[in-house]
Amino acid sequence: MRPPALPLPHALSDEDEAALGDLFRKGTPDNTLRAWERDLVYIAAWKRARFGQDLAWPEEERVALRFVLDHASDLSDTPGKAQDAALALIGAGLRRTLACPAPATLDRRIASWRAFHRMRNLASPFDAPLVAATRIKARRAAARPRKPKSPRPLTRDVLESLIETCDYSLRGLRDRAILMLAFASGGRRRSEITALHREDIGTGDYATKGLIWLRLLETKTTRKDEAPRLPLKGRAAKAVMDWIRAAAIADGPLFRPVSQADRVLDRRLKPDAIRVILRHRLRLAGLPEDYATPHGLRAGFLTQAALDGAPLAAAMKLSLHRSVVQAQKYYADVEIEENPATDLLG
């Protein structure tokens, strides 16, 4: 996907504008660029539908306030300009229903809008006291129970059943390596798995220690200049090495599509391919395809670490969580089940 055209200061020369735009694109993760692109399209379409105007820089506080209010309630039974604008967005394929959007969706779009103002060195209207206070109230009013990213964590016993479905064809070797690497290296995200290159796999210690090293150039919580190195041991390391050798991967993307004729193709897997692979393995293991999502590998790693009594800090060293509160949620689910106070009635 082509990176979005970034809104830049009109005062800059064409040369400076191009240089600054290129710098923002190179310094911003691809996932963030894609989110910005979607949000910019949505925001611009909303303002045209609501006010009949294009976006302004800086945007007016009244427009920012109206954006929050229009996305803070269910519009199904409230005819008026807000509903009309929402229907126009639905017609354009930018909105699904008239129901109140999730608070996280509103937060992300506002964050994108604020980022566009920062790129222009302009103050954001969402920082105005009334707008900021309204946003807090809207978030609380629309709060809903936290929905996990995966219906279930893929703990070790479930993972083993998926691994057993992987034969020794190239497709089986690849899928085994993906599943084991994703789990054993700390619960890697889809984008982190598919971004790996052969050059990111350090094999110098494999012959003597059965250990390989993964270099993650960029993750959701780390930047390229941090590039964490994570160890992969035992069966997981062997699975990755078996795939590398069988597929004869000397450089370039580590995980690649495999044709129906069991031939490795010369391009990287897309992140959504991990979802397809997981569904396929769940089906072969006799489980429903919606039993878990790829995030279940991440949740499964932390849940299994809690079940095995691994210290939270040790698990976070591999999962690369920055928030103790976020990582602790997986441990809390395990700990409360084992709490002796739950057995007071026998």
Side-chain angles (χ1 to χ4, degrees):
M1 179 183 294
R2 182 182 177 186
L6 301 177
L8 299 171
H10 293 302
L12 294 177
S13 67
D14 291 343
E15 182 180 357
D16 289 343
E17 186 171 314
L20 186 56
D22 184 59
L23 181 63
F24 267 103
R25 281 187 285 271
K26 289 180 178 178
T28 305
D30 289 342
N31 287 346
T32 302
L33 286 174
R34 286 191 287 269
W36 280 354
E37 182 178 39
R38 292 192 301 269
D39 291 340
L40 183 59
V41 170
Y42 182 92
I43 292 163
W46 171 83
K47 189 179 179 186
R48 281 194 295 270
R50 191 67 168 81
F51 293 94
Q53 300 172 355
D54 291 332
L55 294 175
W57 307 100
E59 191 53 83
E60 299 177 68
E61 288 182 19
R62 69 180 183 92
V63 174
L65 181 62
R66 191 71 259 170
F67 185 78
V68 174
L69 293 173
D70 282 7
H71 294 81
S73 61
D74 190 318
L75 299 175
S76 302
D77 300 318
T78 54
K81 293 182 178 179
Q83 187 188 77
D84 292 342
L87 288 171
L89 292 170
I90 292 172
L94 298 175
R95 181 169 175 162
R96 293 182 180 179
T97 69
L98 292 173
C100 179
T105 302
L106 176 60
D107 285 346
R108 193 200 69 236
R109 286 174 177 154
I110 290 174
S112 296
W113 209 339
R114 295 180 68 183
F116 300 147
H117 278 79
R118 287 197 302 272
M119 292 174 199
R120 292 170 170 266
N121 199 29
L122 297 171
S124 166
F126 292 98
D127 294 331
L130 178 60
V131 179
T134 303
R135 182 184 173 195
I136 292 173
K137 298 294 185 184
R139 188 186 298 115
R140 290 175 180 171
R144 57 191 69 176
R146 175 178 171 267
K147 184 178 180 181
K149 294 181 180 179
S150 177
R152 298 172 187 83
L154 289 168
T155 48
R156 185 167 50 229
D157 56 341
V158 182
L159 181 67
E160 292 288 6
S161 67
L162 302 185
I163 293 171
E164 287 177 4
T165 71
C166 300
D167 58 18
Y168 288 89
S169 65
L170 285 171
R171 187 182 302 275
L173 289 169
R174 181 201 63 187
D175 293 359
R176 181 185 292 106
I178 286 174
L179 292 170
M180 297 187 79
L181 178 148
F183 182 92
S185 64
R188 302 273 57 87
R189 301 177 180 89
R190 292 181 301 161
S191 59
E192 296 168 1
I193 297 168
T194 55
L196 285 169
H197 279 67
R198 173 62 184 86
E199 295 85 346
D200 300 323
I201 308 300
T203 59
D205 292 328
Y206 183 70
T208 56
K209 300 179 181 179
L211 170 71
I212 63 176
W213 292 90
L214 312 182
R215 179 181 61 172
L216 300 177
L217 286 183
E218 193 165 4
T219 74
K220 191 175 180 180
T221 55
T222 61
R223 301 185 304 271
K224 290 181 180 178
D225 57 348
E226 296 170 334
R229 292 176 71 242
L230 301 176
L232 197 65
K233 301 178 179 179
R235 294 168 58 207
K238 182 179 184 303
V240 173
M241 292 301 295
D242 287 347
W243 160 249
I244 289 174
R245 290 165 178 163
I249 297 176
D251 54 32
L254 177 63
F255 294 119
R256 311 177 185 198
V258 176
S259 71
Q260 292 295 327
D262 208 38
R263 183 172 62 87
V264 178
L265 305 182
D266 192 22
R267 64 173 187 269
R268 76 169 63 250
L269 279 178
K270 294 182 178 180
D272 198 53
I274 305 300
R275 186 186 304 277
V276 176
I277 290 169
L278 178 59
R279 285 178 176 173
H280 175 63
R281 293 300 164 185
L282 285 167
R283 186 171 64 252
L284 292 179
L287 295 168
E289 289 187 359
D290 60 356
Y291 181 89
T293 69
H295 192 270
L297 290 162
R298 187 163 176 79
F301 168 79
L302 285 167
T303 301
Q304 192 65 56
L307 289 168
D308 290 355
L312 176 60
M316 289 177 63
K317 285 280 189 179
L318 289 179
S319 70
L320 301 179
H321 274 89
R322 284 187 172 176
S323 169
V324 175
V325 174
Q326 186 70 28
Q328 175 64 36
K329 291 177 181 177
Y330 300 98
Y331 273 62
D333 289 343
V334 172
E335 290 166 357
I336 197 168
E337 182 180 351
E338 300 299 324
N339 190 322
T342 62
D343 292 323
L344 294 183
L345 284 178

